[in-house]
Amino acid sequence: MSLYKKIVLIGFMGTGKSTVGKRLAKLLEWDFIDTDLDVERITGLSVSEIFRRHGEMRFRSEEVLAVRRLVGLEHCVVATGGGTMLDPENWTALTTDSIIIALYASLDTILERVGNKNGRPLLKNNREELENLWLKRQKIYAKAHLTIDTTEKDIEEVADEILNILRSEDYEFTGLAQN
Ligand code: S3P
């Protein structure tokens, strides 16, 4: 049995990592950290602005730094960006002491949820490009300890499902109440 210090949510854009993460953190009375927001806080730029002004590579370097800032923290729920775990350095940093939970949704569901909202530069790609990205990334997301299908579920349901699994199965956390 491993002793986990953090819960890390991974998955494609629009799978609910931030909303579910916030809810989970509230239920657990843990801190919530969103790597995109952390990058925005440090750079003083929105994710879209970083992509537009400096390009994706600069965003990815800021993302690596945001993940490095998480090392050693405990009792927190982390929502990663959809591409964070593609970087092996990020994967290693987060898998050493965290349970990795992938949130899954079909591409149609994702497009329904976030289709015309701004703020996600990669969603500007056409459907075929997005589908390729979604497909390619499933292999990475599939390496998570747990995968939760979020289709047709609301935030509360997904958060409750995760907590129930964590409490009922063989996962041990520093400080997770078992009630
Ligand atoms: C990205 C996902 C975004 C954000 C950036 C890149 C990706 O985060 O990190 O736009 O590569 O999938 P969300 O998954 O929170 O939308």
Side-chain angles (χ1 to χ4, degrees):
M1 187 186 291
S2 317
L3 193 62
Y4 297 115
K5 293 184 174 162
K6 295 188 269 290
I7 296 173
V8 173
L9 300 179
I10 72 170
F12 206 71
M13 296 170 271
T15 49
K17 300 177 298 282
S18 301
T19 42
V20 169
K22 258 186 231 158
R23 172 84 191 148
L24 259 183
K26 193 166 175 217
L27 291 171
L28 290 165
E29 298 181 9
W30 283 12
D31 291 330
F32 172 69
I33 298 165
D34 183 314
T35 55
D36 283 344
L37 294 183
D38 197 46
V39 165
E40 293 186 339
R41 179 179 64 84
I42 291 288
T43 59
L45 295 170
S46 70
V47 170
S48 296
E49 276 174 314
I50 301 173
F51 268 73
R52 191 166 45 79
R53 290 201 209 169
H54 305 292
E56 181 172 350
M57 259 175 71
R58 167 71 192 280
F59 172 75
R60 298 299 172 198
S61 335
E62 292 295 342
E63 207 174 27
V64 169
L65 298 177
V67 169
R68 285 187 197 160
R69 287 191 285 276
L70 297 171
V71 173
L73 299 185
E74 38 181 79
H75 299 166
C76 56
V77 180
V78 177
T80 57
T84 310
M85 296 304 261
L86 271 65
D87 185 313
E89 178 179 335
N90 293 342
W91 183 274
T92 306
L94 291 173
T95 46
T96 47
D97 63 0
S98 313
I99 184 159
I100 312 293
I101 303 179
L103 300 187
Y104 170 85
S106 68
L107 188 60
D108 285 332
T109 307
I110 287 168
L111 291 175
E112 262 169 48
R113 286 183 191 162
V114 297
N116 46 18
K117 287 192 197 144
N118 298 323
R120 288 180 168 104
L122 296 178
L123 281 183
K124 294 201 179 92
N125 292 334
N126 66 38
R127 159 108 202 180
E128 198 187 330
E129 286 165 333
L130 266 180
E131 189 152 19
N132 288 338
L133 193 66
W134 180 89
L135 270 175
K136 204 165 85 189
R137 289 184 173 180
Q138 296 311 310
K139 283 192 223 92
I140 303 285
Y141 303 145
K143 295 197 302 179
H145 298 109
L146 279 177
T147 298
I148 309 288
D149 188 349
T150 68
T151 315
E152 288 177 25
K153 289 178 198 154
D154 61 29
I155 298 156
E156 279 77 19
E157 282 174 291
V158 177
D160 286 348
E161 190 175 333
I162 292 174
L163 270 191
N164 287 337
I165 296 174
L166 296 183
R167 287 188 168 130
S168 65
E169 294 185 16
D170 222 7
Y171 300 106
E172 195 176 309
F173 286 84
T174 56
L176 178 62
Q178 294 296 317
N179 53 345

